[in-house]
Amino acid sequence: MKNVLLVFGGKSYEHDISVVTALQIFNRTKLDDYKLNLIYLTQDNRFYFYLKDSPILTDFKDSEVKNKRKFKELFFISGENGKLFIKTAFGLKHFLTSNLAIMACHGGDGENGKLVSRLEMFGIYSSAGSFDGLAVSMNKFLFKNTMKGIGVPVVNGFLISRNEFECESAHVREKIKKFGFPVILKINNGGSSIGVFIANNFNEFQNCLQNAFEFDEFVLVEKFLEGCREFNVAILGNLNSYDISEIDEPIKNHELLSFADKYLSSKSSKSMKFGNKSLASQKRNLPANVDNQLKRKIKTIASRVFETLNLSGVIRIDFLYDEKTKKVYVCEVNAIPGSLGFYFFSRGTVLLNSFVSKLINIAEKKQNSLTQVKSDFVTNIF
């Protein structure tokens, strides 16, 4: 039986949602050929192995992680062999070997490619996409310009840095005056609708910027398209073979789809379920009520995004649709969505065990592909 690491947590605003995702998978999956191992990444980027068989959410509070009856701190050393070590009174001791991982870290270094790259340096290959694809997906402004480069429609916008805001207020005022209101502000590297604001005038704009810069040093400013429908679509697979889900239309309680809409619409996070009622049973129309022409258009754009960024595993792509102009805009990619987007593929055709097995298979194919790439070259320089 092969060991597979289920990696979650990490330094991110979405840390707690990542814990929920991992426990949803671990507590509901039974695999014949693979053993899932919970690898928890703390907010200060320390790796821990969870020792028990039945984890609960409260086990992953900071105070509990220091409990040696439940956790062992892990260390990666000695190159590309997938070996993990623990510290003992006699030094480091080999504890576990695994070359495969399912990435369940939302946001932060878990989703921007840094963690994927770090694990690959030690011979551990994950279900998530390539380092550069993840990096572009996480950076909203870089993603927007990449989409422009391949001819995919995006909403007009520009980037403001914290330094620009603090030192050149006149310059910022002139910039937004030419751009016009209303606008939507988003932190450039973030998710779960954290650090997202709408401004209708310059005073609101300044206040929103000040709030947004508490979460990131760069803020993306875009035209706010009022009355547009929001659609999501998920893709499961890799470049060689992938499935595109039905189109989802989330139902909002506010002008913006908020963190509360996504995760807190039930009595507590403890009630979150895995499946069609994923993540606090967020209200949605899945499949969305759209005609075949619009459906084909959204799925065609989704394929282009997925292939251009060399993504893999399961991803979610968010769209805006202007019914007046009949124009579709791609907004952003969530490369590691909440509950890993299982609800997109769970409508009676794909069971959870099969879904997790597919993610493991994607990691195995990545391992086979990358280990065949020649990485050494004899130069005879010295």
Side-chain angles (χ1 to χ4, degrees), residues 242-269:
Y242 58 85
D243 298 316
I244 304 180
S245 75
E246 293 288 349
I247 296 167
D248 165 45
E249 183 173 14
I251 299 173
K252 300 177 290 184
N253 294 320
H254 311 87
E255 195 170 22
L256 291 175
L257 190 64
S258 67
F259 182 92
D261 289 331
K262 292 181 177 180
Y263 302 120
L264 303 178
S265 58
S266 65
K267 292 181 180 179
S268 76
S269 61

Side-chain angles (χ1 to χ4, degrees), residues 96-107:
L96 181 72
T97 298
S98 175
N99 297 108
L100 304 171
I102 294 175
M103 190 62 63
C105 295
H106 306 314

Side-chain angles (χ1 to χ4, degrees), residues 22-38:
L23 299 202
Q24 287 173 330
I25 296 171
F26 186 84
N27 288 331
R28 293 168 171 80
T29 304
K30 293 183 179 180
L31 304 172
D32 294 329
D33 301 322
Y34 304 97
K35 175 178 170 49
L36 288 180
N37 299 271
L38 286 174

